[in-house]
Amino acid sequence: MSFLFFDPSRPKTPQEVARAIKDSLMALDAKTVAEVKALEKARKDLLHLWSILLKQKVDSTCCCVEYIEKHLELFDFLVVCYYNKEIALNCGNMLRECFKFPTLAQ
């Protein structure tokens, strides 16, 4: 899974991006000490990407916010992941980013 802009296998549709984020969160469940630093950086990168995607506009609409509104399972997934102590901080930050948008805060 890669978010590089020039990678031909990068996610192209909102559905692919949502699936990639969900897969990334699940993969970031640290198990060994050797992986912790790399995983912390990956978690920070994922949070940064999440923040950027939520603010991304096509025409005058935030397309990722609209996608989450129509597919609440991704939002629900963040809430469930919040109870995993290893990724709770990141999921909490991702949820706070969502709450900046009135339609998602409801």
Side-chain angles (χ1 to χ4, degrees), residues 3-99:
F3 289 111
L4 296 174
F5 289 106
F6 301 108
D7 186 351
S9 65
R10 74 182 187 280
K12 294 175 183 68
T13 66
Q15 295 86 352
E16 290 173 351
V17 172
R19 189 175 329 110
I21 289 172
K22 186 175 179 180
D23 293 345
S24 295
L25 277 173
M26 293 177 75
L28 293 178
D29 190 14
K31 298 296 180 199
T32 65
V33 176
E35 297 174 332
V36 171
K37 285 188 179 181
L39 289 173
E40 286 175 2
K41 176 157 178 24
R43 288 176 183 145
K44 287 178 185 178
D45 291 346
L46 185 61
L47 175 59
H48 186 69
L49 174 68
W50 180 258
S51 177
I52 291 169
L53 285 173
L54 286 176
K55 295 171 189 162
Q56 183 68 37
K57 289 188 177 186
V58 175
D59 296 323
S60 64
T61 61
C62 294
C63 55
C64 289
V65 172
E66 286 183 2
Y67 180 82
I68 294 171
E69 289 171 3
K70 294 175 185 171
H71 299 89
L72 292 176
E73 63 273 3
L74 181 61
F75 191 73
D76 292 339
F77 180 75
L78 284 175
V79 173
V80 170
C81 287
Y82 185 74
Y83 293 104
N84 180 338
K85 66 180 181 178
E86 293 185 20
I87 58 174
L89 180 63
N90 303 95
C91 290
N93 287 333
M94 292 170 83
L95 286 168
R96 276 190 284 289
E97 288 294 322
C98 289
F99 295 150

